[in-house]
Amino acid sequence: MSDVRNVVIVGSGPAGYTAAIYAARAQLDPIIYEGSVTAGGALMNTTEVENFPGFTDGVMGPDLMDSMRKQAKRFGAELITDDIVEMDLTGEIKVLKDGSGNTVKAKSVILATGSAYREIGLVNEKRLSGHGVSWCATCDGFFFRGQTIAVVGGGDSAVEEATFLTRFAEKVVLIHRRDSLRASKIMADRAKNNPKIEFMWNTEVIDVLGADKVEALKLRNTVDGSESERAFTGLFVAIGHIPRSELITGQIDLDSEGYVICEGRSTRTNQKGVFACGDLVDHTYRQAITAAGSGCAAALDAEKFLAH
Amino acid sequence: MATSKVTTATFDAEVLKSSTPVLVDFWAEWCGPCRAVGPILEEISNEYGSKLKIVKLNTDEESAIAIKYGITSIPSMYVFVNGEVVTQIVGAKPKPALLKDLESYLV
């Protein structure tokens, strides 16, 4: 591939696909690298999305992403189910390499790589990953039928996972290091009214115990520092996300948490012709609809850049 | 060689008594990452099937085997040699990463 594309979009999800829809309709002939195992983004691991406007009765996350993907395709976006593994964004012509070893060149790049699950950072969390420690309730909830499991976190995703897991588990204990939830009120109320959910406030997980599978958690009270153990067969970690910015570190200005810094209200990064959108730039709103909105803005910013 | 499906009835002959190493992909229809990694395993099977047999076990239909092997996350990809689990890969990974995890069985 020696020709230079107008725009390459890196990452799918609502931001990447919306950027692809807008760029394709602007006849920029975009190519979008969806990711080999991350195509569709974070919403692929969710169930029902109730707050995406236009869907009166809600929509399943994977179905919503499939619709966005088809919409991008309909307008001629080239969809590649592969990862970008290297990027040189510093020159006038950007050079990107994919997981199959192909190189693609472009005048502009839209970064929409999203975020990854944040880990607690415990040695035994990693060791027992896949043996009771999970980051995906929709994938793994089924294996905990009739059991007592823990969800750690206090935001929307933790509360959503805890609620979802009550379909299978006998009891779900939501462990949160503060004394109130960050989750939206409707979701928090739903969890509080669910008889299968118990809340452990002001508590953090300091170790995961078990020889070859999760047997218990070691907990610490964040107020008085007292430590305790409690038996669980599963631990679902939902303590937030970290931006996937490792490939662009050193080329694109990032804030102290690794999010891309954009110029004012635009999606422009410090590198000319490089735009960023979605969870990669947003540590405030982090919604499907805001990601889609910023993907739209990135495509419009790229279009304007290419016209000059 | 395309991947094939294993069940409780065929597990012994297809996996435990296989003369070549076997990768068992524990998966289910509802699992997004399983569907994402499925085509990658298909490619690896087509390229390396003579060295590493790849079979798929639907944990929904064959939960007894999933429970026996302590599966709590899917996709889980376990490599069996002479009836023993020798490698455990948990979670969907891009093809180059999977090939690296499996390289000792592919040469």
Side-chain angles (χ1 to χ4, degrees), chain A residues 256-272:
Chain A
S256 59
E257 291 175 74
Y259 291 87
V260 171
I261 299 170
C262 290
E263 196 183 305
R265 295 181 59 238
S266 79
T267 63
R268 290 189 297 272
T269 69
N270 60 306
Q271 294 286 356
K272 242 178 150 178

Side-chain angles (χ1 to χ4, degrees), chain A residues 36-37 44-45 83 99 129-134 138-140 142-144, chain B residues 30-31 33 36 40 59-60 71-74 78 88 90 92-94 96:
Chain A
S36 65
V37 293
M44 296 302 282
N45 294 339
D83 307 292
S129 161
H131 304 282
V133 178
S134 172
T138 56
C139 305
D140 303 337
F142 173 83
F143 299 104
F144 296 90
Chain B
W30 72 75
C31 154
I40 296 174
T59 55
D60 227 357
I71 302 297
T72 63
S73 283
I74 49 174
Y78 283 19
Q88 303 179 352
V90 178
K93 290 184 179 188

Side-chain angles (χ1 to χ4, degrees), chain B residues 5-17 57 61-62 64-65:
Chain B
K5 179 176 172 173
V6 286
T7 64
T8 308
T10 62
F11 197 80
D12 194 57
E14 290 288 324
V15 178
L16 301 181
K17 299 221 166 87
L57 185 130
E61 294 164 2
E62 312 292 342
I65 292 189

Side-chain angles (χ1 to χ4, degrees), chain B residues 1-5 23 25 27 34-49 52-56 77 95 98-99 102:
Chain B
M1 186 163 47
T3 64
S4 58
K5 179 176 172 173
L23 181 148
D25 174 27
W27 77 290
C34 299
R35 289 198 301 269
V37 82
I40 296 174
L41 291 173
E42 209 60 55
E43 278 179 29
I44 295 176
S45 186
N46 285 329
E47 290 161 26
Y48 299 96
L52 176 70
K53 182 157 100 179
I54 301 186
V55 299
K56 297 176 77 75
M77 292 153 275
K95 189 176 174 186
L98 274 180
L99 288 177
L102 297 171

Side-chain angles (χ1 to χ4, degrees), chain A residues 126-176:
Chain A
K126 214 168 201 93
R127 181 176 63 85
L128 292 169
S129 161
H131 304 282
V133 178
S134 172
W135 281 267
C136 179
T138 56
C139 305
D140 303 337
F142 173 83
F143 299 104
F144 296 90
R145 202 174 283 278
Q147 302 179 30
T148 297
I149 57 180
V151 174
V152 58
D156 271 340
S157 51
V159 174
E160 186 194 346
E161 295 214 342
T163 307
F164 175 80
L165 288 166
T166 60
R167 293 189 200 181
F168 308 101
E170 172 72 24
K171 176 173 243 180
V172 178
V173 179
L174 190 68
I175 299 172
H176 187 36

Side-chain angles (χ1 to χ4, degrees), chain A residues 79-153:
Chain A
L79 304 156
I80 310 273
T81 313
D82 202 343
D83 307 292
I84 289 295
V85 296
E86 264 178 55
M87 293 187 239
D88 183 354
L89 304 173
T90 52
E92 196 174 325
I93 300 295
K94 323 294 176 194
V95 184
L96 299 88
K97 205 170 114 189
D98 73 16
S100 311
N102 302 312
T103 297
V104 58
K105 295 177 181 172
K107 293 177 205 160
S108 72
V109 171
I110 294 175
L111 301 168
T113 49
S115 54
Y117 301 115
R118 186 185 292 278
E119 298 177 5
I120 304 172
L122 304 168
V123 174
N124 287 326
E125 171 193 22
K126 214 168 201 93
R127 181 176 63 85
L128 292 169
S129 161
H131 304 282
V133 178
S134 172
W135 281 267
C136 179
T138 56
C139 305
D140 303 337
F142 173 83
F143 299 104
F144 296 90
R145 202 174 283 278
Q147 302 179 30
T148 297
I149 57 180
V151 174
V152 58

